[in-house]
Amino acid sequence: MNETIGHDQAIELIPWFVNGTLSGADHELVERHVRQCLPCRAALQEQRQLATLVREHPTISLTADQGFERLMERVDDDVSHSDGREVTRIPAWSSLSNRWALAAAAVLVAVLGATTWMLTLDPGTSRDQEFVTLTQNLNDGTVRLDIIFAANVTETEMRALVRDLAGTIVSGPSAAGRYTLRLDTAAIDASELNDIIDRLNHDDRVRFAGRSFIEVEFE
Amino acid sequence: MHEQPQAQPQRAHDTEDDADLALLRRTNDGDRAAFHALYAKFYHPLLRFIYRITGQLELAQEGVNDVMLVVWKNGDAFGGRSKVATWIMGIAYHKALKSLEKARRWSDRVTTMDFDNSTELSATIPEHTTSTDLKDLLEHGMKVLSAKQRAVVELTYYYGYSYEEIAAIAGCPINTVKTRMFHARAKLKNVLPSLGRDELQT
Protein backbone atom coordinates (compact mmCIF):
# COMPACT_ATOMS: atom_id res chain seq x y z
CA MET A 1 0.00 0.00 0.00
CA ASN A 2 1.46 3.31 -1.07
CA GLU A 3 -1.18 5.48 0.52
CA THR A 4 0.08 7.81 3.25
CA ILE A 5 -1.53 9.83 5.96
CA GLY A 6 -0.89 13.46 6.85
CA HIS A 7 0.77 14.35 10.14
CA ASP A 8 -2.28 16.17 11.54
CA GLN A 9 -4.56 13.27 10.72
CA ALA A 10 -2.15 10.76 12.20
CA ILE A 11 -1.71 12.60 15.46
CA GLU A 12 -5.47 12.97 15.74
CA LEU A 13 -5.97 9.21 15.46
CA ILE A 14 -3.29 8.21 17.96
CA PRO A 15 -5.69 7.66 20.90
CA TRP A 16 -7.59 5.07 18.88
CA PHE A 17 -4.39 3.56 17.59
CA VAL A 18 -3.45 3.13 21.26
CA ASN A 19 -6.75 1.49 22.23
CA GLY A 20 -6.63 -0.76 19.17
CA THR A 21 -9.92 0.26 17.59
CA LEU A 22 -8.73 1.78 14.33
CA SER A 23 -9.75 -0.08 11.20
CA GLY A 24 -7.06 -2.25 9.64
CA ALA A 25 -6.24 0.27 6.92
CA ASP A 26 -6.12 3.27 9.24
CA HIS A 27 -4.07 1.34 11.77
CA GLU A 28 -1.49 0.55 9.13
CA LEU A 29 -1.36 4.14 7.89
CA VAL A 30 -0.84 5.53 11.38
CA GLU A 31 1.71 2.90 12.23
CA ARG A 32 3.72 3.65 9.09
CA HIS A 33 3.60 7.39 9.76
CA VAL A 34 4.62 7.07 13.39
CA ARG A 35 7.71 5.13 12.37
CA GLN A 36 8.89 8.15 10.43
CA CYS A 37 7.64 11.00 12.61
CA LEU A 38 9.37 11.87 15.87
CA PRO A 39 6.61 14.16 17.27
CA CYS A 40 4.04 11.43 16.59
CA ARG A 41 6.21 8.84 18.31
CA ALA A 42 6.38 11.13 21.33
CA ALA A 43 2.61 11.64 21.21
CA LEU A 44 2.13 7.89 21.00
CA GLN A 45 4.18 7.31 24.12
CA GLU A 46 2.26 10.04 25.96
CA GLN A 47 -1.06 8.55 25.06
CA ARG A 48 0.01 5.03 25.98
CA GLN A 49 0.97 6.30 29.41
CA LEU A 50 -2.25 8.25 29.73
CA ALA A 51 -4.22 5.16 28.77
CA THR A 52 -2.42 3.18 31.48
CA LEU A 53 -3.16 5.86 34.06
CA VAL A 54 -6.83 6.03 33.13
CA ARG A 55 -7.24 2.26 33.15
CA GLU A 56 -5.53 1.97 36.51
CA HIS A 57 -7.58 4.79 38.00
CA PRO A 58 -9.48 3.22 40.89
CA THR A 59 -13.12 2.36 40.37
CA ILE A 60 -15.77 3.04 42.94
CA SER A 61 -16.43 0.06 45.14
CA LEU A 62 -20.17 -0.06 45.65
CA THR A 63 -22.39 -3.06 45.25
CA ALA A 64 -25.03 -3.31 42.58
CA ASP A 65 -27.58 -5.14 44.73
CA GLN A 66 -28.70 -2.18 46.82
CA GLY A 67 -28.98 -0.03 43.74
CA PHE A 68 -31.06 -2.68 42.01
CA GLU A 69 -33.40 -2.91 45.00
CA ARG A 70 -33.99 0.84 44.90
CA LEU A 71 -34.58 0.73 41.19
CA MET A 72 -37.17 -2.04 41.44
CA GLU A 73 -38.97 -0.04 44.13
CA ARG A 74 -39.31 2.73 41.58
CA VAL A 75 -40.47 0.24 38.93
CA ASP A 76 -43.08 -1.22 41.29
CA ASP A 77 -44.14 2.24 42.37
CA ASP A 78 -44.76 3.19 38.76
CA VAL A 79 -46.74 0.00 38.20
CA SER A 80 -48.91 0.50 41.30
CA HIS A 81 -49.72 4.05 40.34
CA SER A 82 -50.76 3.17 36.83
CA ASP A 83 -53.65 1.00 37.98
CA GLY A 84 -56.03 3.93 38.27
CA ARG A 85 -55.64 4.54 42.02
CA GLU A 86 -53.97 7.88 41.73
CA VAL A 87 -52.65 9.75 38.77
CA THR A 88 -49.17 10.80 39.68
CA ARG A 89 -47.55 11.12 36.28
CA ILE A 90 -48.01 14.48 34.62
CA PRO A 91 -47.15 14.22 30.93
CA ALA A 92 -47.26 17.94 30.15
CA TRP A 93 -45.37 19.68 32.87
CA SER A 94 -45.74 23.14 31.41
CA SER A 95 -49.50 22.79 31.09
CA LEU A 96 -49.73 21.73 34.73
CA SER A 97 -47.72 24.71 35.89
CA ASN A 98 -50.01 26.96 33.88
CA ARG A 99 -53.10 25.33 35.37
CA TRP A 100 -51.75 25.71 38.88
CA ALA A 101 -50.63 29.24 38.24
CA LEU A 102 -54.06 30.23 36.90
CA ALA A 103 -55.83 28.49 39.76
CA ALA A 104 -53.61 30.13 42.32
CA ALA A 105 -54.11 33.52 40.72
CA ALA A 106 -57.88 33.07 40.73
CA VAL A 107 -57.87 32.16 44.41
CA LEU A 108 -55.77 35.15 45.23
CA VAL A 109 -58.03 37.55 43.39
CA ALA A 110 -61.16 36.05 44.87
CA VAL A 111 -60.03 35.75 48.48
CA LEU A 112 -57.65 38.64 48.90
CA GLY A 113 -59.16 41.06 46.44
CA ALA A 114 -56.11 43.27 46.38
CA THR A 115 -52.37 42.98 45.86
CA THR A 116 -51.20 43.42 49.53
CA TRP A 117 -52.61 42.53 52.89
CA MET A 118 -50.59 42.63 56.05
CA LEU A 119 -50.02 39.35 57.85
CA THR A 120 -50.48 39.23 61.60
CA LEU A 121 -49.65 36.07 63.33
CA ASP A 122 -50.55 35.64 66.94
CA PRO A 123 -49.93 32.13 68.13
CA GLY A 124 -52.34 32.71 70.94
CA THR A 125 -55.31 33.34 68.71
CA SER A 126 -55.41 30.30 66.51
CA ARG A 127 -58.77 31.15 65.06
CA ASP A 128 -57.90 34.58 63.72
CA GLN A 129 -58.26 35.25 60.05
CA GLU A 130 -54.89 35.00 58.37
CA PHE A 131 -53.79 36.51 55.13
CA VAL A 132 -50.51 36.27 53.33
CA THR A 133 -48.87 39.22 51.75
CA LEU A 134 -47.63 38.67 48.25
CA THR A 135 -44.44 40.58 48.68
CA GLN A 136 -43.33 40.24 52.25
CA ASN A 137 -41.90 37.50 54.33
CA LEU A 138 -43.77 36.14 57.26
CA ASN A 139 -43.38 37.94 60.56
CA ASP A 140 -40.92 35.31 61.76
CA GLY A 141 -38.54 36.38 58.97
CA THR A 142 -38.75 33.18 56.93
CA VAL A 143 -40.24 32.31 53.60
CA ARG A 144 -42.34 29.25 52.98
CA LEU A 145 -42.91 27.39 49.76
CA ASP A 146 -45.28 24.60 48.90
CA ILE A 147 -43.78 21.81 46.82
CA ILE A 148 -45.26 18.70 45.28
CA PHE A 149 -42.52 16.39 44.07
CA ALA A 150 -42.71 14.37 40.86
CA ALA A 151 -43.90 10.80 41.24
CA ASN A 152 -40.58 9.18 40.40
CA VAL A 153 -38.47 11.34 42.66
CA THR A 154 -36.53 9.37 45.21
CA GLU A 155 -36.02 10.34 48.80
CA THR A 156 -32.38 11.08 48.02
CA GLU A 157 -33.41 13.51 45.30
CA MET A 158 -35.97 15.17 47.55
CA ARG A 159 -33.41 15.66 50.30
CA ALA A 160 -30.87 16.95 47.78
CA LEU A 161 -33.35 19.48 46.44
CA VAL A 162 -34.34 20.66 49.93
CA ARG A 163 -30.67 20.96 50.82
CA ASP A 164 -29.99 22.90 47.61
CA LEU A 165 -32.66 25.39 48.65
CA ALA A 166 -31.17 25.72 52.13
CA GLY A 167 -34.59 24.77 53.40
CA THR A 168 -36.38 22.65 55.97
CA ILE A 169 -39.59 20.74 55.50
CA VAL A 170 -41.97 22.02 58.16
CA SER A 171 -45.09 20.10 57.21
CA GLY A 172 -46.39 17.47 54.83
CA PRO A 173 -47.04 15.47 52.98
CA SER A 174 -50.68 16.38 52.74
CA ALA A 175 -53.22 14.05 51.15
CA ALA A 176 -52.25 15.60 47.81
CA GLY A 177 -48.55 15.08 48.48
CA ARG A 178 -47.80 18.71 49.25
CA TYR A 179 -44.85 19.61 51.46
CA THR A 180 -44.30 23.01 53.01
CA LEU A 181 -40.72 24.11 52.99
CA ARG A 182 -39.21 26.88 55.08
CA LEU A 183 -36.28 28.64 53.46
CA ASP A 184 -33.61 29.27 56.01
CA THR A 185 -31.65 31.83 54.04
CA ALA A 186 -31.40 35.51 54.78
CA ALA A 187 -34.22 37.82 53.75
CA ILE A 188 -35.34 37.13 50.22
CA ASP A 189 -37.11 39.73 48.21
CA ALA A 190 -40.02 39.00 45.93
CA SER A 191 -37.92 38.91 42.79
CA GLU A 192 -35.54 36.32 44.21
CA LEU A 193 -38.43 34.27 45.48
CA ASN A 194 -40.04 34.33 42.05
CA ASP A 195 -36.76 33.14 40.54
CA ILE A 196 -36.59 30.25 42.98
CA ILE A 197 -40.18 29.26 42.29
CA ASP A 198 -39.62 29.52 38.56
CA ARG A 199 -36.56 27.30 38.73
CA LEU A 200 -38.39 24.76 40.82
CA ASN A 201 -41.27 24.64 38.39
CA HIS A 202 -38.81 23.91 35.61
CA ASP A 203 -37.12 21.16 37.58
CA ASP A 204 -38.04 17.63 36.55
CA ARG A 205 -38.08 16.62 40.20
CA VAL A 206 -40.91 19.03 40.99
CA ARG A 207 -44.52 18.78 39.94
CA PHE A 208 -45.56 22.06 41.49
CA ALA A 209 -43.98 24.80 43.53
CA GLY A 210 -45.46 28.01 44.81
CA ARG A 211 -45.66 30.34 47.74
CA SER A 212 -47.14 28.72 50.74
CA PHE A 213 -50.53 30.02 51.75
CA ILE A 214 -51.45 29.79 55.39
CA GLU A 215 -54.84 28.18 55.65
CA VAL A 216 -57.57 30.59 56.44
CA GLU A 217 -59.89 29.65 59.24
CA PHE A 218 -62.97 31.55 60.32
CA GLU A 219 -64.78 31.39 63.58
CA MET B 1 -8.49 8.50 4.83
CA HIS B 2 -11.11 5.85 5.41
CA GLU B 3 -13.58 7.97 7.36
CA GLN B 4 -17.35 8.08 7.37
CA PRO B 5 -18.62 11.27 8.97
CA GLN B 6 -21.43 10.59 11.45
CA ALA B 7 -21.27 6.88 10.67
CA GLN B 8 -23.12 4.49 12.95
CA PRO B 9 -20.87 1.70 14.22
CA GLN B 10 -21.66 -1.60 12.60
CA ARG B 11 -23.25 -4.28 14.76
CA ALA B 12 -20.84 -6.99 13.89
CA HIS B 13 -21.09 -10.45 15.37
CA ASP B 14 -19.93 -10.14 18.95
CA THR B 15 -20.42 -12.84 21.57
CA GLU B 16 -20.71 -10.40 24.43
CA ASP B 17 -23.17 -8.24 22.55
CA ASP B 18 -25.22 -11.33 21.67
CA ALA B 19 -25.44 -12.13 25.36
CA ASP B 20 -26.48 -8.56 26.18
CA LEU B 21 -29.09 -8.66 23.45
CA ALA B 22 -30.52 -11.89 24.80
CA LEU B 23 -30.80 -10.36 28.27
CA LEU B 24 -32.39 -7.22 26.85
CA ARG B 25 -34.98 -9.21 24.95
CA ARG B 26 -35.89 -11.15 28.06
CA THR B 27 -36.02 -7.88 29.98
CA ASN B 28 -38.45 -6.53 27.40
CA ASP B 29 -40.65 -9.54 28.18
CA GLY B 30 -40.66 -8.50 31.83
CA ASP B 31 -38.07 -11.02 32.99
CA ARG B 32 -36.72 -9.44 36.19
CA ALA B 33 -33.97 -11.99 36.60
CA ALA B 34 -32.65 -11.10 33.16
CA PHE B 35 -32.93 -7.41 34.01
CA HIS B 36 -31.04 -8.01 37.23
CA ALA B 37 -28.27 -9.70 35.29
CA LEU B 38 -28.12 -6.80 32.85
CA TYR B 39 -28.12 -4.32 35.73
CA ALA B 40 -25.32 -6.14 37.53
CA LYS B 41 -23.25 -6.22 34.38
CA PHE B 42 -23.59 -2.50 33.65
CA TYR B 43 -23.72 -1.17 37.17
CA HIS B 44 -20.04 -0.46 37.70
CA PRO B 45 -19.29 0.72 34.16
CA LEU B 46 -22.23 3.13 34.35
CA LEU B 47 -21.42 4.24 37.88
CA ARG B 48 -17.85 5.05 36.98
CA PHE B 49 -18.81 6.74 33.73
CA ILE B 50 -21.52 8.96 35.24
CA TYR B 51 -19.29 9.75 38.21
CA ARG B 52 -16.51 10.71 35.84
CA ILE B 53 -18.82 13.13 34.04
CA THR B 54 -20.62 14.60 37.04
CA GLY B 55 -17.93 14.31 39.71
CA GLN B 56 -20.61 13.54 42.30
CA LEU B 57 -21.15 10.07 43.66
CA GLU B 58 -24.75 10.72 44.68
CA LEU B 59 -25.60 11.86 41.17
CA ALA B 60 -23.80 8.83 39.78
CA GLN B 61 -25.72 6.38 41.97
CA GLU B 62 -29.06 7.87 41.05
CA GLY B 63 -27.92 8.24 37.46
CA VAL B 64 -27.31 4.51 37.13
CA ASN B 65 -30.87 3.82 38.17
CA ASP B 66 -32.24 6.53 35.90
CA VAL B 67 -30.45 4.90 32.97
CA MET B 68 -31.50 1.37 33.79
CA LEU B 69 -35.07 2.52 34.34
CA VAL B 70 -35.04 3.70 30.73
CA VAL B 71 -33.67 0.29 29.70
CA TRP B 72 -36.46 -1.42 31.64
CA LYS B 73 -39.22 0.75 30.23
CA ASN B 74 -37.92 1.34 26.72
CA GLY B 75 -35.82 -1.69 25.95
CA ASP B 76 -37.93 -2.38 22.91
CA ALA B 77 -36.78 0.97 21.51
CA PHE B 78 -33.33 -0.51 20.97
CA GLY B 79 -33.11 -0.66 17.20
CA GLY B 80 -30.12 -2.97 16.92
CA ARG B 81 -28.08 -0.48 14.91
CA SER B 82 -25.34 -0.54 17.53
CA LYS B 83 -24.22 -2.76 20.35
CA VAL B 84 -26.46 -2.91 23.38
CA ALA B 85 -23.61 -1.51 25.48
CA THR B 86 -23.21 1.45 23.13
CA TRP B 87 -26.93 2.18 23.36
CA ILE B 88 -26.90 2.03 27.16
CA MET B 89 -23.80 4.19 27.42
CA GLY B 90 -25.46 6.72 25.12
CA ILE B 91 -28.41 6.97 27.50
CA ALA B 92 -25.97 7.35 30.39
CA TYR B 93 -24.01 10.07 28.63
CA HIS B 94 -27.02 12.28 28.08
CA LYS B 95 -28.50 11.61 31.51
CA ALA B 96 -25.18 12.50 33.14
CA LEU B 97 -24.83 15.77 31.27
CA LYS B 98 -28.41 16.71 32.11
CA SER B 99 -27.84 15.83 35.74
CA LEU B 100 -24.67 17.90 35.86
CA GLU B 101 -26.42 20.86 34.30
CA LYS B 102 -29.21 20.71 36.88
CA ALA B 103 -26.70 20.54 39.72
CA ARG B 104 -24.88 23.55 38.33
CA ARG B 105 -28.09 25.55 37.97
CA TRP B 106 -28.76 25.15 41.66
CA SER B 107 -25.19 25.85 42.68
CA ASP B 108 -25.38 29.19 40.91
CA ARG B 109 -28.23 30.23 43.20
CA VAL B 110 -27.56 28.52 46.47
CA THR B 111 -24.13 28.69 47.96
CA THR B 112 -24.69 26.21 50.74
CA MET B 113 -23.98 23.12 48.66
CA ASP B 114 -20.70 21.42 49.20
CA PHE B 115 -19.05 21.14 45.82
CA ASP B 116 -15.76 19.65 46.89
CA ASN B 117 -16.41 16.82 44.50
CA SER B 118 -17.86 18.88 41.71
CA THR B 119 -16.28 18.99 38.31
CA GLU B 120 -14.29 21.73 36.67
CA LEU B 121 -13.25 23.26 39.95
CA SER B 122 -10.89 25.56 38.22
CA ALA B 123 -10.28 26.60 34.67
CA THR B 124 -6.67 27.42 35.49
CA ILE B 125 -4.00 24.82 35.81
CA PRO B 126 -1.58 25.33 38.69
CA GLU B 127 2.01 25.69 37.64
CA HIS B 128 3.31 23.71 40.57
CA THR B 129 1.82 20.99 42.62
CA THR B 130 3.18 19.43 45.76
CA SER B 131 1.94 15.99 44.72
CA THR B 132 4.13 13.91 42.47
CA ASP B 133 1.65 11.07 42.39
CA LEU B 134 0.63 10.76 38.75
CA LYS B 135 -2.75 9.40 39.69
CA ASP B 136 -3.47 12.47 41.79
CA LEU B 137 -2.36 14.62 38.89
CA LEU B 138 -4.62 12.69 36.55
CA GLU B 139 -7.54 13.22 38.92
CA HIS B 140 -6.81 16.94 38.95
CA GLY B 141 -6.34 16.97 35.20
CA MET B 142 -9.65 15.26 34.57
CA LYS B 143 -11.39 17.91 36.66
CA VAL B 144 -9.95 20.62 34.46
CA LEU B 145 -11.50 19.05 31.38
CA SER B 146 -15.07 19.75 30.37
CA ALA B 147 -17.58 16.98 31.04
CA LYS B 148 -17.69 16.10 27.34
CA GLN B 149 -13.90 15.98 27.11
CA ARG B 150 -13.74 13.75 30.20
CA ALA B 151 -16.30 11.47 28.63
CA VAL B 152 -14.23 11.07 25.45
CA VAL B 153 -11.07 10.26 27.40
CA GLU B 154 -12.87 7.70 29.57
CA LEU B 155 -14.71 6.12 26.67
CA THR B 156 -11.45 5.82 24.71
CA TYR B 157 -9.02 4.62 27.32
CA TYR B 158 -11.11 2.95 29.99
CA TYR B 159 -13.97 1.54 27.99
CA GLY B 160 -11.98 1.03 24.77
CA TYR B 161 -14.53 2.44 22.31
CA SER B 162 -13.70 3.40 18.75
CA TYR B 163 -14.26 7.02 17.73
CA GLU B 164 -17.29 5.92 15.69
CA GLU B 165 -18.83 4.31 18.77
CA ILE B 166 -18.08 7.38 20.87
CA ALA B 167 -19.76 9.56 18.25
CA ALA B 168 -22.82 7.30 18.49
CA ILE B 169 -22.82 7.44 22.30
CA ALA B 170 -22.45 11.20 22.40
CA GLY B 171 -24.76 11.82 19.47
CA CYS B 172 -22.22 14.03 17.73
CA PRO B 173 -20.14 13.95 14.55
CA ILE B 174 -16.91 11.99 14.50
CA ASN B 175 -14.88 15.16 14.01
CA THR B 176 -16.37 16.55 17.21
CA VAL B 177 -15.12 13.48 19.09
CA LYS B 178 -11.65 13.99 17.66
CA THR B 179 -11.69 17.70 18.51
CA ARG B 180 -12.72 17.04 22.10
CA MET B 181 -9.96 14.48 22.45
CA PHE B 182 -7.47 16.90 20.93
CA HIS B 183 -8.28 19.59 23.47
CA ALA B 184 -8.38 17.09 26.32
CA ARG B 185 -4.91 15.85 25.42
CA ALA B 186 -3.57 19.40 25.36
CA LYS B 187 -5.02 20.22 28.77
CA LEU B 188 -3.82 16.96 30.31
CA LYS B 189 -0.37 17.55 28.89
CA ASN B 190 -0.20 20.77 30.92
CA VAL B 191 -1.13 18.94 34.10
CA LEU B 192 0.94 15.86 33.40
CA PRO B 193 4.11 17.28 31.84
CA SER B 194 6.04 14.11 32.56
CA LEU B 195 3.79 12.13 30.24
CA GLY B 196 5.84 10.63 27.51
CA ARG B 197 9.20 11.52 29.00
CA ASP B 198 10.09 8.51 31.09
CA GLU B 199 8.62 5.17 32.04
CA LEU B 200 5.66 5.72 34.30
CA GLN B 201 6.23 4.96 37.97
CA THR B 202 2.67 3.98 38.93
Side-chain angles (χ1 to χ4, degrees):
Chain A
M1 180 193 286
N2 291 325
E3 200 177 339
T4 56
I5 187 175
H7 170 76
D8 287 347
Q9 286 172 320
I11 209 160
E12 200 177 54
L13 291 178
I14 278 174
W16 295 285
F17 179 84
V18 166
N19 81 355
T21 57
L22 286 184
S23 69
D26 284 348
H27 182 96
E28 204 176 312
L29 284 170
V30 171
E31 191 174 45
R32 202 181 308 141
H33 175 86
V34 166
R35 267 189 242 129
Q36 300 161 8
C37 175
L38 197 54
C40 278
R41 279 212 298 279
L44 179 61
Q45 188 171 352
E46 278 171 23
Q47 294 308 303
R48 277 181 172 149
Q49 290 178 354
L50 178 61
T52 301
L53 277 176
V54 171
R55 280 195 296 265
E56 290 179 357
H57 197 267
T59 42
I60 304 158
S61 45
L62 289 173
T63 61
D65 288 343
Q66 279 184 327
F68 186 73
E69 265 179 45
R70 282 204 317 274
L71 174 58
M72 295 321 288
E73 281 169 16
R74 280 169 73 178
V75 166
D76 292 335
D77 195 45
D78 274 355
V79 168
S80 68
H81 281 82
S82 66
D83 63 5
R85 279 193 289 123
E86 180 185 339
V87 175
T88 56
R89 191 166 294 281
I90 310 295
W93 165 240
S94 61
S95 63
L96 171 67
S97 69
N98 286 340
R99 290 201 297 272
W100 274 104
L102 284 171
V107 166
L108 278 175
V109 169
V111 174
L112 299 176
T115 53
T116 54
W117 288 78
M118 295 306 299
L119 170 71
T120 305
L121 279 179
D122 183 349
T125 58
S126 60
R127 293 290 183 233
D128 288 345
Q129 280 190 342
E130 299 170 347
F131 299 93
V132 176
T133 176
L134 296 180
T135 57
Q136 291 182 354
N137 294 343
L138 300 179
N139 280 1
D140 61 359
T142 63
V143 175
R144 285 176 168 78
L145 299 178
D146 283 339
I147 294 181
I148 300 177
F149 293 99
N152 59 354
V153 165
T154 64
E155 187 189 332
T156 304
E157 285 175 312
M158 285 170 59
R159 282 195 268 117
L161 189 146
V162 170
R163 191 177 60 241
D164 292 350
L165 293 169
T168 307
I169 292 179
V170 294
S171 71
S174 68
R178 176 171 53 89
Y179 291 86
T180 300
L181 193 74
R182 183 188 69 216
L183 297 185
D184 297 322
T185 55
I188 297 176
D189 65 28
S191 170
E192 287 173 306
L193 185 57
N194 285 337
D195 281 346
I196 291 173
I197 292 171
D198 185 56
R199 282 176 192 246
L200 284 170
N201 282 316
H202 283 89
D203 192 318
D204 287 352
R205 295 170 291 182
V206 174
R207 222 172 102 187
F208 165 74
R211 287 187 184 84
S212 183
F213 294 97
I214 295 173
E215 292 174 4
V216 178
E217 291 182 339
F218 297 91
E219 288 267 32
Chain B
M1 282 299 301
H2 305 270
E3 184 172 314
Q4 300 171 14
Q6 301 195 36
Q8 292 289 330
Q10 296 296 315
R11 249 202 95 243
H13 180 69
D14 180 313
T15 309
E16 193 166 347
D17 186 47
D18 288 345
D20 291 345
L21 190 57
L23 286 175
L24 183 63
R25 283 182 177 147
R26 284 168 55 197
T27 297
N28 292 343
D29 291 335
D31 184 340
R32 291 193 176 201
F35 183 52
H36 191 179
L38 203 60
Y39 184 98
K41 178 174 180 184
F42 284 97
Y43 179 76
H44 284 103
L46 288 175
L47 186 69
R48 180 189 164 112
F49 183 53
I50 299 172
Y51 176 69
R52 177 57 77 199
I53 291 179
T54 63
Q56 297 178 52
L57 188 56
E58 200 171 271
L59 289 182
Q61 287 176 286
E62 289 305 316
V64 171
N65 280 3
D66 288 345
V67 171
M68 294 309 290
L69 189 62
V70 171
V71 172
W72 170 260
K73 288 183 171 177
N74 301 104
D76 49 8
F78 173 67
R81 289 184 300 277
S82 67
K83 292 180 187 175
V84 172
T86 307
W87 177 65
I88 292 177
M89 292 296 277
I91 299 169
Y93 176 82
H94 291 102
K95 285 274 181 192
L97 288 180
K98 196 173 169 186
S99 185
L100 183 63
E101 183 51 39
K102 263 194 221 170
R104 280 187 182 148
R105 233 184 285 144
W106 284 110
S107 75
D108 287 344
R109 176 64 185 87
V110 178
T111 58
T112 54
M113 268 202 77
D114 178 10
F115 267 90
D116 281 346
N117 292 323
S118 69
T119 57
E120 297 191 25
L121 293 175
S122 170
T124 60
I125 302 160
E127 283 188 18
H128 303 287
T129 173
T130 57
S131 172
T132 57
D133 188 333
L134 280 172
K135 289 175 184 170
D136 286 343
L137 288 175
L138 174 66
E139 185 64 30
H140 175 79
M142 292 294 259
K143 286 178 182 173
V144 170
L145 303 183
S146 72
K148 292 177 181 177
Q149 288 166 352
R150 271 198 299 282
V152 172
V153 172
E154 275 285 297
L155 289 169
T156 302
Y157 288 137
Y158 188 80
Y159 296 95
Y161 284 105
S162 67
Y163 57 72
E164 294 98 335
E165 285 171 322
I166 296 171
I169 288 168
C172 66
I174 286 171
N175 280 340
T176 301
V177 172
K178 291 176 181 175
T179 301
R180 286 175 186 163
M181 176 59 94
F182 177 82
H183 291 301
R185 286 164 62 183
K187 285 183 185 177
L188 288 173
K189 183 78 192 284
N190 280 336
V191 178
L192 292 152
S194 60
L195 263 189
R197 271 200 233 130
D198 305 301
E199 284 295 317
L200 277 183
Q201 301 296 325
T202 55

